[in-house]
């Protein structure tokens, strides 16, 4: 890799961290506001402690740095007593400050956990190596929505997030929405999120979970009630029937190759849940755990050789003939 491109990569990484809303200092909801408040309180306490320490060091070095040779030890009882007092007072102030920080952390934790609503929307998030399964459970199976990586929620409403993991420990983190939450295999946990401004808030896996941990992104799309309900209605429908010959051939390719062994497309025979549900793939902006944009080229590249893009992931290469690949991509792009 050339120096110029690694510099470019570093800049891109910098841009990701400071871009728009991928930032815990740009809170978008009540719990992230509370977390930001606590951050600034601790920041200013630490800043004051830093300045005081530096001033004390500067004074001490100014007083004692003048002579080169070792000074004789002078017995100074008055000075010793003053030093004991100063150190004792500093220890007491430090301990009290740490207790104050502990108290504020506990209060903030309680506030963040304490949201409630009588009829909340519930979303089940399951971590997979290396993507996020997103389910909107409903007692009626045909009213359950399953999608991947893109979490739609209504603005201004508390939403319950239930977490689980299908394999190893992951951590769900959308910095401008909530703190981190670990997803532990075999354990379910629940927490609330709420977003008060419409927008798309990116999130990441924040616990090292294997080779492609860095490529395990998701996004929270907060939209007004009407848009959210329209999205829900759309997602509940089975996959649209393909009309033109190319797309019909593409569905044939999907159902007769390895795709069908891992993916679901409602309304066809495909019902496996190893990989993401593709029923409404074309409505999603990104693919592959938000690694690639959902474009023709990226889709085709991902299908042909996913191991080159995300080595170690569960999807096998699919060396399709060019006509079959084109037809398959055309079909996938009809899945609105
Ligand atoms: Cu999943 Cu890191």
């Amino acid at each position: 890799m050339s120096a110029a491109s690694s510099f470019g990569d570093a800049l891109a990484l910098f841009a990701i961290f400071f871009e728009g809303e991928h930032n815990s200092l740009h809170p978008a909801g009540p719990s992230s506001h509370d977390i930001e408040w606590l951050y600034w309180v601790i920041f200013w306490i630490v800043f004051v402690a830093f300045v005081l320490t530096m001033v004390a060091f500067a004074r001490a070095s100014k007083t004692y740095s003048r002579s080169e040779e070792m000074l004789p030890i002078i017995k100074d009882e008055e000075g010793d007593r003053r030093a004991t007092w100063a150190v004792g007072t500093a220890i007491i102030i430090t301990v009290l400050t740490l207790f104050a920080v502990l108290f504020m952390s506990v209060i903030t934790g309680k506030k963040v956990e304490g949201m409630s609503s009588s009829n909340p929307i519930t979303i089940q998030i399951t971590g997979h190596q290396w993507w996020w399964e997103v389910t909107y459970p409903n007692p009626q199976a045909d009213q359950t929505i399953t999608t991947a990586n893109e979490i739609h929620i209504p603005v201004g409403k508390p939403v319950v997030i239930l977490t689980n993991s299908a394999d190893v420990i992951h951590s769900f983190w959308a910095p401008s929405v909530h703190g981190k939450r670990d997803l532990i295999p075999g354990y379910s946990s629940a927490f609330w999120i709420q977003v008060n401004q419409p927008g798309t808030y990116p999130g990441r896996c924040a616990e090292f979970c294997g080779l492609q941990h860095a490529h395990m992104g998701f996004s929270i799309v907060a939209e007004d009630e009407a848009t959210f309900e329209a999205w829900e209605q759309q997602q509940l429908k089975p996959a649209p029937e393909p009309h033109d010959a190319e797309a019909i051939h593409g569905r044939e390719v999907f159902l007769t190759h390895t795709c069908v062994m891992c993916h679901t497309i409602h309304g066809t025979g495909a019902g496996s849940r190893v990989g993401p549900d593709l029923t409404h793939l074309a409505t999603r902006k990104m693919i592959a755990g938000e690694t690639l944009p959902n474009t023709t080229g990226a889709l085709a590249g991902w299908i042909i050789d996913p191991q080159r893009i995300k080595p170690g992931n569960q999807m096998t290469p699919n060396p399709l003939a060019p006509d079959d690949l084109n037809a398959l991509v055309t079909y996938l792009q009809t899945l609105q």
Side-chain angles (χ1 to χ4, degrees):
M1 191 188 285
S2 74
S5 83
S6 27
F7 180 69
D9 286 349
L11 265 188
L13 198 66
F14 188 81
I16 286 169
F17 274 94
F18 291 91
E19 154 204 299
E21 309 295 341
H22 206 157
N23 188 336
S24 50
L25 301 181
H26 285 170
S31 45
S32 45
H33 262 292
D34 292 337
I35 293 169
E36 190 213 12
W37 174 82
L38 183 65
Y39 171 86
W40 284 116
V41 169
I42 295 175
F43 175 86
W44 286 115
I45 290 173
V46 172
F47 183 76
V48 169
F50 174 76
V51 170
L52 292 179
T53 310
M54 286 301 133
V55 169
F57 267 129
R59 274 190 56 190
S61 60
K62 208 170 147 199
T63 316
Y64 297 110
S65 68
R66 283 183 214 116
S67 62
E68 300 261 301
E69 75 267 23
M70 294 284 279
L71 289 169
I73 294 171
I74 304 160
K75 229 174 155 31
D76 174 6
E77 286 190 359
E78 179 56 28
D80 283 354
R81 205 173 11 247
R82 269 192 286 137
T84 309
W85 265 101
V87 171
T89 314
I91 290 174
I92 290 169
I93 291 173
T94 307
V95 169
L96 288 180
T97 310
L98 287 177
F99 269 104
V101 168
L102 175 68
F103 180 72
M104 286 183 288
S105 302
V106 171
I107 294 289
T108 307
K110 288 249 181 283
K111 262 171 98 179
V112 167
E113 299 298 320
M115 255 194 279
S116 71
S117 157
S118 55
N119 189 19
I121 289 165
T122 301
I123 304 174
Q124 169 80 51
I125 307 283
T126 307
H128 292 260
Q129 283 174 316
W130 292 280
W131 60 282
W132 308 86
E133 186 177 356
V134 182
T135 308
Y136 296 65
N138 192 291
Q140 283 168 271
D142 65 341
Q143 294 294 304
T144 295
I145 296 169
T146 305
T147 180
N149 309 318
E150 207 176 281
I151 304 159
H152 286 248
I153 61 168
V155 129
K157 285 202 163 174
V159 174
V160 176
I161 302 281
L162 304 175
T163 62
N164 209 332
S165 168
D167 35 49
V168 299
I169 301 176
H170 302 276
S171 180
F172 181 88
W173 189 35
S176 27
V177 176
H178 201 278
K180 293 171 188 167
R181 181 57 75 109
D182 279 359
L183 276 61
I184 299 168
Y187 289 88
S188 191
S189 77
F191 63 100
W192 295 86
I193 61 167
Q194 183 174 326
V195 174
N196 289 338
Q197 290 134 26
T200 300
Y201 301 93
R204 295 259 126 205
C205 180
E207 177 74 41
F208 181 71
C209 56
L211 200 53
Q212 296 298 334
H213 156 68
H215 294 140
M216 191 171 165
F218 64 93
S219 49
I220 295 178
V221 182
E223 48 208 3
D224 62 79
E225 190 81 34
T227 315
F228 173 72
E229 273 168 20
W231 175 85
E232 258 188 329
Q233 291 312 314
Q234 176 75 9
Q235 299 290 315
L236 282 170
K237 292 180 190 158
E241 277 292 305
H243 293 300
D244 63 287
E246 172 112 356
I248 293 171
H249 176 52
R251 181 172 63 178
E252 198 56 34
V253 172
F254 184 91
L255 294 173
T256 53
H257 288 75
T258 44
C259 323
V260 71
M261 292 165 71
C262 295
H263 297 281
T264 292
I265 296 183
H266 288 290
T268 72
S272 175
R273 295 187 60 179
V274 178
D277 186 308
L278 303 179
T279 309
H280 296 286
L281 174 68
T283 64
R284 305 205 279 263
K285 289 205 171 62
M286 306 281 281
I287 59 166
E290 307 236 314
T291 308
L292 299 171
N294 192 358
T295 59
T296 309
L299 256 179
W302 176 250
I303 292 166
I304 286 283
D305 197 357
Q307 293 302 322
R308 180 185 286 254
I309 297 163
K310 275 173 85 167
N313 88 83
Q314 307 250 324
M315 186 155 150
T316 52
N318 298 280
L320 296 170
D323 284 353
D324 288 348
L325 178 65
N326 277 338
L328 177 57
V329 170
T330 305
Y331 170 60
L332 292 176
Q333 288 178 328
T334 67
L335 299 176
Q336 285 290 333

